[in-house]
Amino acid sequence: MPPADLPTYADVEAAAQRIQGHAHRTPVLTSHTLDQALGAEVFFKCENFQRMGAFKFRGAFNTLAQFDEQQRRRGVVTFSSGNHAQGIALAARTLGIPATIVMPHDAPAAKIAATRGYGATVVGYDRYSEDRAAIGQTLAEQHGLTLVPPYDHPGVVAGQGTVAKELIEHTGPLDTLLVPLGGGGLLSGCALAARTLSPACQVLGVEPEAANDGQQSLRAGRIVRIDTPHTLADGAQTQYLGNYTFALIRKLVDDILTAPDAGLVRAMRFFAERMKMVVEPTGCLGLAALWEQPEAWRGKRIGVVITGGNVDLARYAQLLAQD
Ligand SMILES: *Cc1c(COP(=O)(O)O)cnc(C)c1O
C-alpha cells in the first residue's frame, strides 16, 4: 500500500514559496558542443551552484520550516552520505534549530568538514557494517529529536521537486527530463513537477550501473534491496527506494537508465573542460546516460539535472588526471 499522504504538485508549489529567498534559483546552462554532438538541445539545471553545493538544501529547508515550536527547540537528527547532512545542517542553522548528523566514517573529508562547519554535531558509523537508519532512530528516541530522512519524506520530496519546477519554468515544455537517482527524493519530486508543467515530457531516472536497485524495483513492481554498491557516485549509493519515493516513481516515471563509473569520469572532465564547472560524480549521471545512447536524443529538448558539486579536491584532481 502506498502511503496515504503522498505529496502532490500543490506541495511542490508550497515548497517553492517556503524556500524563496533562502535557496538560490540556480542557473540553466547549455553547451553548443554537446548540442551539436547529440543533435539535441540539452538544458542543464545547475544545482552544483545551489547553497551548500547541492539540491538537498531545498528539501531540508522545506521540511524544517514546517517544524512546530517543540520540534524546533529539541532539534533535528538525520543520516546521510553527505549532501543531505549539509543541507539539514545549513537549513537548521538558518532556522535556529540544533542538528545532529549520522555520517559514515569514510564520507569525503570535505563533506564532513562542511557539515561541522555549519554547526552540526557529527556522529560517525561504518557504512558496510552498521545500519544508519537504526542509529538515527535511537538518537531520535533518546533525545526527543525529529528524524528527517534523506529522501523518504513528503517534505523532502516536495522541496526537491522545485528543481524541475524552476527548470521547466525557464525552458518551457521538454521532451525528456533526466534526473540522477539515489533514494528517489529528487526524482519523485521532479516527476510531480514535470507531470504538471510539461505533461508529455518523458521522465527518466539515472542510476550508477552498480547501484541499479531503482531500475530493478521499477521492473519488479516492488522495492528491491541490494548490498551497499561500490561506485564513484557516493550520492547514489543507496540500497533501496523509500515507500513515498517508490510509490511516486512507479506512478509518474517512465523508465530508469544506468551509467557506468567510466562515463561519470568522462562527464566530470567535460564539465570542467568545456563548461568550467566542478561537478561531483553523482551529479554527472544525467550526461553520462546521454552518452550511453548518443543516437537516441536527436531533435529533442532535454532537461538534465546536475545535482551537486561537492567533491574532495584531491580526489577530483586524481579522477580528472587518470586516463
Ligand atoms: C542525494 C543526491 C542524489 C540522489 O538524490 P535522491 O533524492 O536520494 O535520489 C544525487 N546527486 C547528489 C549530488 C546528491 O547529493
Side-chain angles (χ1 to χ4, degrees):
M1 280 279 285
D5 56 338
L6 273 189
T8 65
Y9 180 63
D11 297 304
V12 178
E13 282 184 306
Q17 296 276 332
R18 278 184 209 107
I19 69 171
Q20 195 178 8
H22 296 284
H24 294 316
R25 203 175 170 98
T26 50
V28 176
L29 301 181
T30 58
S31 160
H32 191 66
T33 309
L34 180 68
D35 286 358
Q36 286 215 311
L38 297 175
E41 271 185 285
V42 180
F43 301 94
F44 290 108
K45 177 65 169 167
C46 295
E47 287 294 298
N48 50 320
F49 296 134
Q50 185 51 263
R51 292 192 66 192
M52 52 64 54
F55 70 88
K56 293 282 200 321
F57 180 71
R58 297 171 183 266
F61 191 91
N62 182 50
T63 303
L64 297 195
Q66 296 177 74
F67 272 20
D68 65 24
E69 253 325 295
Q70 187 181 355
Q71 288 177 304
R72 282 179 193 239
R73 214 171 40 244
R74 291 191 167 165
V76 58
V77 60
T78 193
F79 46 87
S80 165
S81 70
N83 284 333
H84 175 66
Q86 289 178 65
I88 289 286
L90 179 59
R93 192 183 66 180
T94 308
L95 293 162
I97 299 171
T100 302
I101 315 287
V102 181
M103 280 180 103
H105 296 300
D106 65 343
K111 289 189 179 181
I112 296 179
T115 306
R116 289 217 169 96
Y118 292 131
T121 304
V122 175
V123 175
Y125 78 101
D126 176 4
R127 74 163 97 203
Y128 297 104
S129 71
E130 291 185 283
D131 180 356
R132 64 184 193 167
I135 296 171
Q137 195 62 51
T138 305
L139 284 167
E141 280 160 18
Q142 282 175 346
H143 305 285
L145 312 177
T146 303
L147 181 68
V148 178
Y151 52 88
D152 203 25
H153 186 287
V156 171
V157 168
Q160 319 307 31
T162 60
V163 171
K165 177 178 184 289
E166 289 176 17
L167 172 61
I168 297 168
E169 281 170 357
H170 180 94
T171 60
L174 294 168
D175 296 307
T176 304
L177 176 64
L178 284 114
V179 182
L181 169 59
L186 180 65
L187 177 59
S188 49
C190 285
L192 282 172
R195 283 287 157 259
T196 298
L197 299 175
S198 182
C201 178
Q202 178 190 39
V203 179
L204 302 174
V206 187
E207 288 180 313
E209 236 167 47
N212 73 335
D213 61 289
Q215 187 183 59
Q216 291 185 45
S217 300
L218 195 61
R219 299 202 170 144
R222 65 182 172 82
I223 299 171
V224 173
R225 293 173 176 244
I226 61 172
D227 289 337
T228 301
H230 290 268
T231 167
L232 288 176
D234 59 294
Q237 239 180 352
T238 38
Q239 296 164 262
Y240 45 85
L241 300 177
N243 293 319
Y244 288 96
T245 59
F246 177 65
L248 287 169
I249 287 169
R250 212 178 164 188
K251 199 161 95 172
L252 304 173
V253 170
D254 294 286
D255 201 2
I256 295 171
L257 312 178
T258 64
D261 275 12
L264 302 182
V265 175
R266 187 181 156 207
M268 281 171 80
R269 222 177 263 141
F270 179 89
F271 286 132
E273 195 170 71
R274 297 297 180 139
M275 299 181 74
K276 317 304 167 196
M277 296 197 292
V278 176
V279 180
E280 64 182 276
T282 317
C284 293
L285 282 164
L287 176 55
L290 290 179
W291 281 335
E292 283 300 291
Q293 11 175 6
E295 302 302 321
W297 318 104
R298 295 214 163 269
K300 292 194 173 168
R301 290 165 52 80
I302 301 165
V304 173
V305 179
I306 295 179
T307 48
N310 292 327
V311 49
D312 212 59
L313 281 187
R315 178 93 180 108
Y316 181 71
Q318 211 177 42
L319 288 172
L320 289 196
Q322 73 185 208
D323 48 353

